């Protein structure tokens, strides 16, 4: 599976930065926050749809990353993936508690992902892993793509997707399952290429 | 139980919900059922692992958005508060002693002492107890105690909840995995129980009470 990298050429690697952080390097803390805050906040706000709650989640994610920097296991994925996973889990847990669900259809990120139409200003930011994920998603039938995006990026359960799209629960479940299975195959293939 | 003894129909039913499970979207009773199956079925576990990888890879699509102004300074403040809490450790020692007393009071003491002995040395020294308040809607409704050892044990006492009936306890590890470790009943807002944990206690980040519908009722943060 692809590794998400956030550093530009000449910068210290994400892994090295996390290592310095684990050793208690205060400058590394600042550098790490500056490098990741836009991504962690971006994911959190996508999932919860509320800037205030998203800030709280992104901050909590940073605190957990700092606390557990020394136990990061690179075999489980890149530093960015790990950081984003922590953020997603916190955001999904907060969704479960709040029960309120933001409406995704007006969201430009959602629009972009389910339509495949890339908005020009975002294009420059898309890195290699995002490009690969996007390419894999593009191969899915639209219904499957939408279900996968709703579940992975917006934390929607199959039941919530069924209600949102007014489709039977079984249909929502099978779309998600088939979409994930297809992505698995496609991502492995794209990885090999 | 080995994998080949598992009913294929059971696997098919698990596969229905496996993608959602990988995305942390399954909770409560269903999560508990699935965890039970996954513990014994290597095929479904392997499938889960792949779904998790796909889900993680899709996180690369998260948009980059500037956090609100002042994000860094507010984070710095929270980091500062964390180092203050380290200085409070001395005071917390007294709280832990109180917690140990409560554990004995609830009849958990035997468990702590027994597990403490497995690593040798006197129980009172090897039984390292961590205590955390169980919070619901900003209000403390009980305590969670984590006793290290092999296996580690978790104890929970709820004394002042606004709800009654069956609740499930979910434990979140530092790596973000959620496991349902048990279910128990609250009678008129009261209840207490203890359970051995399969994973080491040092990896427990938090413990939550979840109702049958998957709603988190209360959470205790067990930071190490
Ligand atoms: Zn199975």
């Amino acid at each position: 599976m692809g590794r998400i990298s956030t550093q530009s050429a000449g910068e210290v690697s994400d892994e090295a930065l996390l290592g310095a952080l684990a050793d208690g390097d205060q400058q590394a803390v600042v550098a790490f926050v500056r490098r990741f805050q836009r991504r962690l906040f971006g994911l959190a706000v996508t999932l919860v749809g509320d800037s205030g709650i998203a800030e709280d989640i992104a901050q909590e994610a940073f605190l957990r990353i700092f606390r557990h920097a020394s136990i990061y296991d690179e075999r489980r994925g890149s530093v960015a993936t790990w950081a984003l996973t922590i953020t997603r889990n916190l955001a999904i847990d907060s969704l479960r508690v709040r029960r309120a669900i933001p409406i995704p259809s007006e969201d430009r990120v959602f629009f972009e992902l389910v339509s495949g139409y890339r908005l020009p200003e975002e294009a420059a930011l898309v890195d290699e892993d995002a490009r690969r994920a996007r390419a894999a998603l593009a191969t899915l039938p639209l219904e499957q793509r939408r279900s996968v995006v709703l579940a992975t990026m917006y934390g929607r359960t199959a039941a919530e997707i069924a209600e949102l799209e007014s489709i039977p629960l079984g249909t929502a479940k099978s779309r998600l399952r088939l979409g994930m299975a297809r992505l698995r195959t496609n991502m492995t293939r794209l990885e090999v290429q | 139980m080995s994998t080949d003894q598992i009913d294929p129909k059971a696997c098919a039913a698990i596969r229905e919900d496996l993608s959602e499970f990988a995305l942390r979207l399954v909770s409560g009773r269903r999560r508990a059922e699935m965890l039970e199956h996954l513990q014994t079925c290597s095929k479904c576990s392997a499938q889960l692992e792949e779904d998790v990888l796909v889900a993680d890879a899709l996180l690369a699509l998260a948009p980059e958005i500037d956090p609100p102004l002042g994000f860094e300074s507010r984070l710095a403040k929270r980091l500062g508060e964390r180092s203050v809490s380290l200085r409070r450790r001395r005071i917390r020692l007294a709280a832990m002693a109180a917690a140990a007393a409560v554990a004995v009071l609830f009849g958990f003491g035997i468990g702590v002492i027994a597990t403490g002995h497995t690593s040798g040395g006197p129980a009172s020294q090897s039984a390292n107890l961590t205590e955390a308040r169980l919070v619901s809607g900003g209000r403390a409704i009980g305590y969670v105690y984590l006793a290290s050892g092999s296996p580690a044990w978790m104890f929970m006492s709820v004394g002042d909840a606004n709800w009654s009936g069956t609740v499930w306890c979910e434990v979140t590890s530092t790596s973000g995995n959620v496991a349902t470790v048990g279910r128990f009943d609250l009678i008129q807002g009261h209840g207490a129980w203890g359970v051995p944990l399969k994973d080491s206690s040092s990896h427990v980040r938090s413990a939550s009470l979840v109702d049958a519908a998957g709603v988190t009722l209360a959470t205790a943060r067990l930071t190490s």
Side-chain angles (χ1 to χ4, degrees), chain B residues 3 6-8 10-12 14-15 37-38 40-45:
Chain B
T3 297
I6 289 169
D7 177 8
C11 286
I14 294 294
R15 300 293 168 98
H37 179 91
L38 287 161
T40 57
C41 180
S42 57
K43 283 179 186 165
C44 286
S45 301

Side-chain angles (χ1 to χ4, degrees), chain A residues 71-124:
Chain A
I71 60 156
Y72 159 72
D73 181 358
E74 62 177 34
R75 287 167 302 180
R76 297 285 305 163
S78 69
V79 171
T81 303
W82 181 60
L84 287 167
T85 304
I86 289 171
T87 310
R88 180 197 58 203
N89 292 349
L90 285 167
I92 284 181
D93 286 352
S94 91
L95 277 179
R96 204 190 289 172
V97 176
R98 287 192 313 128
R99 285 268 143 182
I101 298 165
I103 306 295
S105 53
E106 295 157 13
D107 193 299
R108 52 180 276 153
V109 179
F110 177 76
F111 167 77
E112 217 191 309
L113 290 172
V114 299
S115 65
Y117 177 77
R118 193 184 303 170
L119 297 160
E121 63 194 271
E122 298 255 1

Side-chain angles (χ1 to χ4, degrees), chain B residues 70-89:
Chain B
F71 179 88
E72 277 185 40
S73 57
R74 286 190 290 274
L75 178 58
K77 191 166 170 281
R78 282 175 75 168
L79 269 170
E81 282 165 5
R82 195 164 62 98
S83 46
V84 169
S85 72
L86 290 177
R87 268 184 261 126
R88 283 200 206 117
R89 197 168 271 174

Side-chain angles (χ1 to χ4, degrees), chain A residues 1 4 33-34 37-39 41-42 45-46 51 55-56 59-60 63-64 66-68 71 76 81 84-85 88-89 92-93 96 109 130 137 148 151-153 155-158 173 176-177 180 184, chain B residues 15-17 19-20 23-27 47 49-51 53-68 71-72 74-75 78-79 82 170 174 176 205 213-216 221 223:
Chain A
M1 213 49 60
I4 307 168
V33 171
R34 300 222 164 123
Q37 61 179 352
R38 299 185 74 247
R39 298 196 73 154
F41 179 77
V45 83
T46 301
S51 179
E55 166 165 343
D56 199 46
Q59 293 198 347
E60 183 60 31
L63 294 177
R64 287 180 188 202
F66 300 154
R67 201 182 298 139
H68 303 301
I71 60 156
R76 297 285 305 163
T81 303
L84 287 167
T85 304
R88 180 197 58 203
N89 292 349
I92 284 181
D93 286 352
R96 204 190 289 172
V109 179
L137 265 180
V148 167
T152 58
M153 301 288 295
R156 301 306 147 83
T157 63
K173 277 187 191 292
L176 182 60
R177 192 179 67 245
M180 290 293 279
R184 219 151 44 219
Chain B
R15 300 293 168 98
E16 284 273 303
D17 296 334
S19 295
E20 284 180 90
L23 293 163
R24 255 175 112 88
L25 298 175
V26 178
S27 50
Q47 181 85 31
E49 194 78 358
E50 289 190 8
D51 269 2
L53 286 174
V54 169
D56 287 355
L58 288 176
L59 291 176
L61 291 169
E64 293 193 30
I65 299 172
D66 282 322
F71 179 88
E72 277 185 40
R74 286 190 290 274
L75 178 58
R78 282 175 75 168
L79 269 170
R82 195 164 62 98
E170 282 186 351
T174 49
R205 179 206 288 161
V215 178
T216 302
R221 288 170 195 279
T223 48

Side-chain angles (χ1 to χ4, degrees), chain B residues 131-188:
Chain B
E131 160 254 5
R133 264 198 292 204
L134 188 63
V135 179
S136 174
R139 198 169 62 92
I141 57 152
Y143 288 89
V144 173
Y145 311 108
L146 204 60
S148 65
S150 45
W153 272 70
M154 191 177 72
F155 308 111
M156 194 177 272
S157 71
V158 180
D160 189 24
N162 293 328
W163 14 264
S164 289
T166 306
V167 288
W168 281 259
C169 178
E170 282 186 351
V171 168
T172 305
S173 73
T174 49
S175 55
N177 294 322
V178 180
T180 303
V181 296
R183 54 180 264 190
F184 67 106
D185 292 308
L186 290 177
I187 297 152
Q188 293 180 336

